[in-house]
Amino acid sequence: VSKFKKLSNPILFLSDAPESHTGLGRVGRDLACLCASMSEFRVGYLARGGIGKRALPFTYYSYPESAQWGEDYLAGVAKDFFGEDYGIVFSNWDLTRLGWLAAPRTPELSMQYGPGRNWDLWVYSPVDSEGVGGPLGAEVQQILPGFDRVLAPSEWGMNLLRNSGRVDADWMPHLVDTKVFKPRDLPREHFNGWVLSPTSARSLITGWNPDDIILGCVMANQARKDYPVAFDCARLLAREYGKRFKFWLHTDRLVGYWNIPALAADYGIGESIAGNVTIGLSDQQLALRYSACDSTILPSHEGFGFPIAESLACGTPALVTDYAAGQELVVQGMRVAPVAYRIDTQFNVKRPVLSGRSFADAVATMIEYKRNDWEGMSEECRARVEHLSFERLKWPWMKWFQEGLR
Amino acid sequence: MTSEIVSVICGGPGPILPGNPRVRRIMNRKNKVSPCQAYQRALDTTTAEVLILLHDDLEIHDGWWREAFLDCFKDVLSDGDSKTVGIGLGGALGLANRDLYRKPFMVGNLARIGYASNQTDAEVHGERLDGVRQVAVLEQFAMAIRTDWLRARGGFPVAHLTHHMLDACLACEAARDGKELWMVGASCTHHGGGTSIKGTYQNAKWLLGGSTEQDHLLAHRWIWDEYRDVLPLVTM
C-alpha cells in the first residue's frame, strides 16, 4: 500500500532560492514549477536566502544564508507544510551538505529528522567528483542509505553513486530553456531572411568586431573552477591571435575564491579582457554573448554543467574537462583531458589537474572548425542539447516524480 | 463483430492465408502512394468494425488466427467497455528505452524491447510465443485495428509517416488514449524485404527526405518529437 495519495501529495523543495542566479536555484525552481503543474503534488519551497516572488506557483518559505543548510528550520516548515499528510522532502544540493538530514548524528537532529519522520527524502545531487579509489569518499557513502531516492544529473554521476553503494541510483539531466538559449542574431530577428553570421550580434551587442576571435567563459568564482587555467588559455590565445583576441568572462563576483583583476594582470591579458567581464546578466543577455563567441571553455569539473549546455544551445562549441558529468554533453573533440589528478577538500574528492596549453590547443582547433562552417557547427552544437528543452524533458521528469508515489 | 482483411500489394504476391478468406487488395505495384496513404484509403473505404491489415509477403499457417483476433476484441467488449484497439501476430513489451529523452536523439533508443511472435524464424527477431499477451507495440506486418477508434484518433498519420513506424504511431496513440494492444501467437512466415529493396520503392516520390535512409530517420524523428508525453512505452 502506497504511503501517498492520488492527489496533492506535499513535496517540499530544499534548495538555493528559486529566484537566485545559482544553477541549483534554477534547477530547484524549474522542478518545483513542474511539480506545481501536476495534480499529484502540492508544492512548497524552503529557500536558502531569497525573499520569494509572487509569480512562483508554490508555497514559499525561506531562511537566511547564515543559517547554513536549514537544520534549524526544516522541521518546523515540514510540520507546517505537510500537516497530517505524508510528504516528500526533495533537495538538489550536494550530498556533503545533507549529512545532517540523511544521517543525523546528534540526539536533537535524530529526533527531528530520524526514523520517526513522516516524509520521504529524495535527493537529486550534482555529484562532480570521484573519491580516492573511485567511489565516493567513505564519509559521503555513509549518508547515502539515508535517502529514499537518489538521482544524479548525469549518467556518469549515476554510475558513481551505484559504485558507491546506491545500486538503485538513476539519472535525469537538467532542463534547459532552449527558447532563450538559442543562436541569437539581432539583424536576423529584426529582418527576416538574414542568415546567422559571426558578425552581427557582435557589433551590435558587445562592440566586438566581426573579425575578432572571441572566447567565452561562464564560471562562478569558486575553488572548483580553475580560473588560472582559463587565464593561461586566454594568454596563449592572445599571443596567437594578437589584438583580434577577446576574452569574455561572466562570473558572480570579481574577488571571491579567485581575484579576477589580479589574474588578468598577472597573466598579461588586460587588453583582451578589458570591458568584457560581466556580472549578473539576464539569460537573454547571456544568450546574445554565447552566440557571438567562437567557442567557450569550462576548465572545471561539473555535476551537470549549465554553461556547457547553454553554450551549445546557442550554437557555440564548448571545450570541457574530460572528467565528471560535463563531458557527456559534448562530442569527443570538445573534451580536454586532465594531465593528472589530485585529492582535495575534507571529503577527499578527486579533482583534475588541467593545462592551459591543452585548452588553448583545443580552442584553436575548434575555432577553425567553427569559422569554416559557422552555421553547420551551430546546428551540430544545438543538436547535442535539443533534448534538454522543457518541452521534451519535462515528460520523463514528470514520470520520475510520479514513479516515486507508487 | 465484422472484420475485413486488406492487403496493399507492392512487391509481394499477396498474403497466403489458410482457407483462402476474402482479401481486399489495394494495388500499389508502382508505389505511387505510400503504404500509409494506402492504409488510410483502406480505412476510408471499409465498413467493417475491425480492419485487418496484412503485408503482401505474409503467410499464416494456423487456421484459427482470425477467430483468435476477433475473440480478443470480443472478450473485452463483453463488459461494454473495451480497452483493446489493436491485435497483431507479433508484438513487443516495450518501445524505446529510458535514454530516449535523456540523451540526444538516436534511432536506436526507439527500438522495441521484448519482441515475441510465432513466426517461422521467431528466434531471429526475439522470442517465440504461441499464446496471447498484451503488448506495448504491434509488429506492422499484421495489424487488426478497431476502425471506430482509429477514425476517432484521426486515422493514419499520412502527413508525417510513409511506411516506417506506423506500428509505433499506433502504439503511442493507444497509450495516449489509455487503450490496449494484444498479440496472438499464430504460426506465420513473414518473408520481408521483398518490396523495400526494389527500385520502385527506392525511388518512390513519397519518401520523406527523398531517400530510404532519410525516410527511416525522419519517421523515427517524428515519433520522438510527437509522442514525448507517452514514450517510452512499457507493458508489464
Side-chain angles (χ1 to χ4, degrees):
Chain A
V1 179
S2 174
K3 298 165 283 192
F4 298 102
K5 303 179 294 181
K6 280 193 174 175
L7 299 171
S8 295
N9 294 285
I11 182 168
L12 180 67
F13 285 76
L14 173 65
S15 185
D16 291 5
E19 71 271 33
S20 71
H21 285 286
T22 70
L24 295 172
R26 289 164 58 184
V27 172
R29 176 201 63 199
D30 291 345
L31 294 179
C33 287
L34 182 65
C35 284
S37 73
M38 301 167 67
S39 60
E40 292 92 338
F41 295 104
R42 172 167 68 81
V43 183
Y45 201 117
L46 176 55
R48 181 172 186 261
I51 54 172
K53 262 190 174 181
R54 188 168 61 96
L56 294 171
F58 40 73
T59 306
Y60 191 104
Y61 304 88
S62 72
Y63 69 90
E65 287 190 45
S66 57
Q68 292 296 322
W69 310 116
E71 296 94 319
D72 297 334
Y73 291 83
L74 178 63
V77 169
K79 188 177 176 186
D80 177 68
F81 183 66
F82 295 158
E84 298 299 313
D85 292 331
Y86 193 87
I88 298 155
V89 171
F90 177 103
S91 182
N92 64 332
W93 277 336
D94 192 277
L95 293 168
T96 57
R97 298 179 183 179
L98 295 169
W100 60 274
L101 183 55
R105 288 181 181 170
T106 67
E108 292 79 12
L109 287 173
S110 288
M111 278 177 64
Q112 291 178 312
Y113 305 119
R117 69 193 188 201
N118 70 327
W119 34 270
D120 272 8
L121 179 58
W122 297 358
V123 68
Y124 176 46
S125 186
V127 283
D128 57 28
S129 318
E130 296 175 341
V132 175
L136 292 164
E139 192 151 341
V140 181
Q141 283 194 42
Q142 280 178 4
I143 69 168
L144 278 177
F147 298 100
D148 296 289
R149 297 182 87 195
V150 178
L151 190 67
S154 70
E155 192 171 20
W156 182 92
M158 176 192 74
N159 289 329
L160 178 58
L161 289 163
R162 288 184 174 184
N163 291 337
S164 304
R166 278 308 293 244
V167 293
D168 60 338
D170 202 352
W171 75 281
M172 194 72 75
H174 291 340
L175 296 150
V176 174
D177 191 348
T178 53
K179 285 184 178 165
V180 173
F181 291 101
K182 62 182 181 181
R184 295 286 185 149
D185 195 70
L186 272 188
R188 188 180 61 164
E189 290 184 353
H190 286 188
F191 309 103
N192 279 338
W194 284 45
V195 295
L196 185 66
S197 73
T199 60
S200 47
R202 298 181 169 197
S203 51
L204 287 172
I205 301 305
T206 65
W208 294 328
N209 293 315
D211 289 340
D212 287 345
I213 302 287
I214 302 166
L215 176 68
C217 181
V218 176
M219 295 199 294
N221 192 339
Q222 57 185 225
R224 184 162 52 85
K225 316 292 184 181
D226 202 332
Y227 269 84
V229 164
F231 276 81
D232 195 36
C233 169
R235 177 185 66 86
L236 292 164
L237 292 168
R239 187 188 291 172
E240 183 166 341
Y241 295 111
K243 290 188 175 180
R244 291 173 62 204
F245 178 72
K246 298 286 186 293
F247 184 41
W248 165 53
L249 178 64
H250 182 72
T251 187
D252 53 346
R253 52 202 160 146
L254 286 179
V255 181
Y257 185 88
W258 304 102
N259 183 332
I260 289 170
L263 283 167
D266 289 346
Y267 279 90
I269 59 162
E271 199 173 338
S272 305
I273 202 171
N276 296 322
V277 179
T278 55
I279 293 173
L281 295 181
S282 68
D283 288 351
Q284 285 82 357
Q285 290 169 319
L286 281 174
L288 281 168
R289 285 161 178 79
Y290 276 126
S291 299
C293 286
D294 288 88
S295 172
T296 62
I297 55 170
L298 191 60
S300 172
H301 53 108
E302 298 293 329
F304 176 73
F306 264 128
I308 304 165
E310 291 165 355
S311 177
L312 294 173
C314 291
T316 301
L319 280 302
V320 177
T321 308
D322 192 7
Y323 173 67
Q327 42 82 24
E328 281 181 9
L329 292 170
V330 299
V331 295
Q332 182 64 40
M334 297 184 195
R335 298 173 189 159
V336 181
V339 294
Y341 295 92
R342 66 193 168 90
I343 299 301
D344 196 13
T345 85
Q346 58 184 280
F347 295 101
N348 296 334
V349 301
K350 182 173 147 187
R351 290 199 162 158
V353 177
L354 306 174
S355 150
R357 166 56 69 188
S358 300
F359 269 89
D361 289 346
V363 169
T365 304
M366 199 51 64
I367 287 170
E368 267 190 50
Y369 287 144
K370 177 81 175 170
R371 296 245 154 185
N372 277 341
D373 184 7
W374 190 275
E375 285 181 62
M377 179 65 93
S378 285
E379 281 174 25
E380 274 182 41
C381 290
R382 196 158 164 78
R384 292 291 306 172
V385 292
E386 62 177 349
H387 62 292
L388 303 176
S389 70
F390 284 21
E391 294 71 29
R392 292 199 174 87
L393 196 54
K394 75 174 183 181
W395 297 104
W397 263 112
M398 288 166 73
K399 285 180 185 173
W400 185 84
F401 279 110
Q402 287 163 341
E403 283 166 7
L405 301 178
R406 287 178 198 148
Chain B
M1 172 168 278
T2 58
S3 64
E4 182 184 29
I5 302 172
V6 176
S7 185
V8 179
I9 307 299
C10 300
I16 300 170
L17 307 175
N20 291 316
R22 182 180 178 278
V23 176
R24 177 154 67 102
R25 295 170 174 235
I26 295 178
M27 303 309 291
N28 194 32
R29 291 266 185 222
K30 293 184 179 172
N31 261 297
K32 286 192 173 172
V33 297
S34 72
C36 185
Q37 289 169 319
Y39 280 6
Q40 184 60 38
R41 189 177 298 172
L43 180 66
D44 288 340
T45 52
T46 190
T47 56
E49 292 166 282
V50 173
L51 181 64
I52 304 174
L53 295 163
L54 302 180
H55 276 195
D56 63 0
D57 52 359
L58 176 68
E59 192 173 346
I60 300 179
H61 311 297
D62 284 327
W64 45 264
W65 71 276
R66 187 173 184 175
E67 193 180 346
F69 268 32
L70 297 179
D71 277 351
C72 280
F73 285 117
K74 281 177 191 165
D75 282 348
V76 287
L77 275 173
S78 60
D79 65 359
D81 185 25
S82 170
K83 279 197 163 188
T84 302
V85 293
I87 314 277
L89 289 174
L93 297 174
L95 175 65
N97 62 48
R98 287 170 61 90
D99 283 340
L100 186 66
Y101 296 109
R102 298 192 298 197
K103 293 184 175 179
F105 169 74
M106 273 182 60
V107 168
N109 285 334
L110 261 170
R112 298 181 302 199
I113 298 163
Y115 179 76
S117 72
N118 196 11
Q119 291 170 246
T120 305
D121 56 351
E123 288 78 7
V124 173
H125 307 283
E127 63 172 320
R128 184 173 298 280
L129 182 77
D130 59 6
V132 176
R133 80 172 174 198
Q134 189 182 349
V135 292
V137 58
L138 300 173
E139 159 55 54
Q140 200 159 304
F141 68 71
M143 298 191 298
I145 310 165
R146 284 255 310 265
T147 52
D148 59 344
W149 174 79
L150 187 56
R151 287 190 184 109
R153 301 303 295 176
F156 288 97
V158 290
H160 306 289
L161 297 180
T162 59
H163 171 51
H164 298 290
M165 303 302 278
L166 290 177
D167 44 11
C169 175
L170 186 70
C172 293
E173 285 293 338
R176 194 178 263 176
D177 197 30
K179 302 299 186 190
E180 295 176 0
L181 304 173
W182 289 73
M183 64 153 286
V184 169
S187 173
C188 63
T189 305
H190 179 220
H191 294 287
T195 300
S196 59
I197 57 170
K198 287 193 165 67
T200 48
Y201 175 74
Q202 301 275 335
N203 302 317
K205 290 201 169 113
W206 44 259
L207 288 171
L208 298 170
S211 69
T212 51
E213 293 80 12
Q214 282 295 302
D215 192 58
H216 182 259
L217 177 70
L218 293 174
H220 283 77
R221 174 86 194 191
W222 183 75
I223 292 288
W224 179 76
D225 221 18
E226 176 65 23
Y227 293 108
R228 52 204 178 202
D229 57 323
V230 290
L231 286 171
L233 300 179
V234 181
T235 295
M236 304 305 287

